[in-house]
Amino acid sequence: MLKKKDKYVIAVVGATGAVGNEMVSVLEERNFPMEKLRLFASERSEGKTLNFHDKTVTVEILTEKVFDGIDIALFSAGAERSLHYAPFAARAGCIVVDNSSAWRMDPGVPLVVPEVNPHDLKWHKGIIANPNCSTIQMVVVLKPIHDAAKIKRVVVTTFQAVSGTGKKAMDELLHQTADFLNFKELKAVVYPHQIAFNCLPHIDKFMDDGYTKEEIKMVNETQKIMGDPSIRVSPTTVRVPVFRGHSEALNIETEKKLTANEVRSLLSTAPGIIVYDAPEKNVYPLPTICAGRDEVYAGRIREDNTVENGINMWISADNLRKGAATNAVQIAEVLIKMA
Ligand code: A2P
């Protein structure tokens, strides 16, 4: 457990990556009570620096021995690194908030979205998992609806930005777009097909049943975070040529009837949500609107007349912020409140 202090030593592991960089910005913006910030990445980044407030922080090479004296480490360096290094951190008394998929479904590791299940932070044993970006934004809006009307089933289709794959994928979209506009041949390295001017119904590996790992994550993680294995989730995940901001079309079936207005009112008082829903004025969530923001935007809220109790909606959130960095920093904030 974390000892109460005025200021904490915080580390970002994978600080040179897309999410790691965002973690540093979010820590700065939210004025996290920090004695010292330490940044870690691979040997490739040795000597690189990042700005934090008005100081320059040098990136250090990650090893098994670096965790002594660090209170909380935010990990975003891939699942392999998390599996290997998080136990060394936990043994050194450093609490890990891990953004990878490595520990999420481990029954001994809480999987937390602070708006939904902050109580699960009480039973951590040194490692806490940050959920998948698509799951985070979905459960933030599902929670108030579940509390009011008990969700039976959710059908979700995602429209996911390339930044979710990392920096290399952002570069690939940029280069392919430039090459396409210059009539050059496109190179696809990160994705199996061209991503520029395209949509790929393929995120992470395909499993034997035809679903992708990303889709399975949305099912299992939703049930774990909501603490209710009876919620059925039917997902299709799609990568789209957007740099930043995931969107999702949600169809939600509940036990109790909710009108569209009741859903708007529930969501507008729930934490972390902005109801952005005036279609007659072209007001609905967009990746460009949620970029740089920490809230989940919800709009196009309407009743589904093809089932007894159904709601359709469209949500967007910044996948690097609420879908990753902000959620991790919010977990650290709850930990220091609980200390
Ligand atoms: P590096 O930049 O030194 O390769 P992204 O998901 O945006 O690609 O970022 C991945 C992050 O994980 C980067 O900060 C990357 O550092 C870091 N990383 C990758 N491999 C290792 C490793 N073996 N040890 C430490 N950090 C790693």
Side-chain angles (χ1 to χ4, degrees):
M1 285 292 153
L2 193 66
K3 282 200 203 100
K4 180 132 203 93
K5 294 183 190 173
D6 289 338
K7 289 179 172 180
Y8 297 86
V9 180
I10 305 294
V12 175
V13 175
T16 51
V19 172
N21 246 291
E22 203 63 34
M23 284 169 164
V24 175
S25 308
V26 174
L27 286 166
E28 177 171 319
E29 274 170 39
R30 295 171 79 98
N31 259 321
F32 197 91
M34 197 148 0
E35 184 189 319
K36 190 169 181 195
L37 175 67
R38 294 186 60 191
L39 304 176
F40 297 99
S42 77
E43 287 157 0
R44 294 179 288 274
S45 300
E46 193 177 11
K48 275 193 189 159
T49 58
L50 290 180
N51 292 331
F52 185 68
H53 290 294
D54 43 10
K55 293 199 183 91
T56 303
V57 184
T58 304
V59 177
E60 302 170 62
I61 300 174
L62 181 66
T63 71
E64 294 158 1
K65 299 195 179 101
V66 296
F67 299 103
D68 278 336
I70 298 174
D71 295 305
I72 302 174
L74 310 180
F75 271 57
S76 192
E80 252 177 69
R81 263 70 63 192
S82 296
L83 268 181
H84 181 79
Y85 290 99
F88 287 97
R91 259 177 255 136
C94 162
I95 301 175
V96 173
V97 180
D98 180 36
N99 190 53
S100 81
S101 60
W103 299 95
R104 288 180 190 150
M105 294 314 296
D106 185 319
V109 173
L111 179 67
V112 176
V113 176
E115 289 88 342
V116 180
N117 61 335
H119 48 271
D120 281 329
L121 288 173
K122 287 190 201 129
W123 55 267
H124 81 81
K125 300 184 194 88
I127 303 175
I128 296 154
N130 210 36
N132 171 266
C133 43
S134 324
T135 310
I136 293 179
Q137 69 183 72
M138 180 168 80
V139 295
V140 168
V141 298
L142 294 188
K143 167 76 175 160
I145 296 173
H146 192 53
D147 287 349
K150 190 154 180 13
I151 294 174
K152 293 201 291 191
R153 178 171 186 251
V154 182
V155 181
V156 52
T157 305
T158 69
F159 302 72
Q160 297 182 222
V162 295
S163 50
T165 317
K167 248 183 176 163
K168 284 188 192 129
M170 296 169 83
D171 290 343
E172 184 150 307
L173 173 57
L174 187 73
H175 293 138
Q176 286 183 358
T177 306
D179 288 346
F180 185 89
L181 297 175
N182 285 295
F183 307 102
K184 288 188 185 160
E185 203 186 314
L186 306 193
K187 282 187 214 96
V189 178
V190 176
Y191 298 115
H193 301 279
Q194 142 189 357
I195 181 66
F197 308 99
N198 213 356
C199 296
L200 313 182
H202 175 184
I203 300 187
D204 212 330
K205 293 193 184 90
F206 280 105
M207 312 299 282
D208 289 343
D209 60 3
Y211 284 86
T212 63
K213 265 173 108 179
E214 183 83 354
E215 289 159 352
I216 306 297
K217 283 178 203 168
M218 291 192 79
V219 177
N220 296 338
E221 293 183 22
T222 299
Q223 293 172 344
K224 180 168 176 179
I225 300 162
M226 304 278 285
D228 188 345
S230 75
I231 301 176
R232 286 171 291 155
V233 180
S234 181
T236 304
T237 57
V238 183
R239 187 74 66 192
V240 295
V242 166
F243 282 103
R244 205 176 166 129
H246 288 357
S247 301
E248 296 176 5
L250 299 179
N251 176 261
I252 305 163
E253 234 184 297
T254 51
E255 248 168 40
K256 213 182 110 196
K257 170 86 185 157
L258 286 176
T259 65
N261 268 338
E262 282 168 337
V263 171
R264 267 182 220 109
S265 138
L266 279 171
L267 298 189
S268 60
T269 50
I273 302 172
I274 293 181
V275 174
Y276 202 70
D277 196 19
E280 67 289 356
K281 295 185 206 135
N282 302 331
V283 168
Y284 31 71
L286 296 171
T288 46
I289 283 168
C290 67
R293 300 289 307 235
D294 291 323
E295 301 87 354
V296 179
Y297 283 67
R300 300 289 323 278
I301 298 167
R302 60 214 191 272
E303 284 154 47
D304 174 3
N305 300 321
T306 65
V307 290
E308 209 179 331
N309 303 323
I311 287 289
N312 279 311
M313 76 172 80
W314 172 261
I315 60 171
S316 299
D318 186 325
N319 56 301
L320 294 180
R321 290 183 69 101
K322 184 57 191 167
T326 302
N327 199 72
V329 174
Q330 285 171 331
I331 289 174
E333 286 172 345
V334 180
L335 288 174
I336 63 173
K337 256 191 221 141
M338 282 171 28

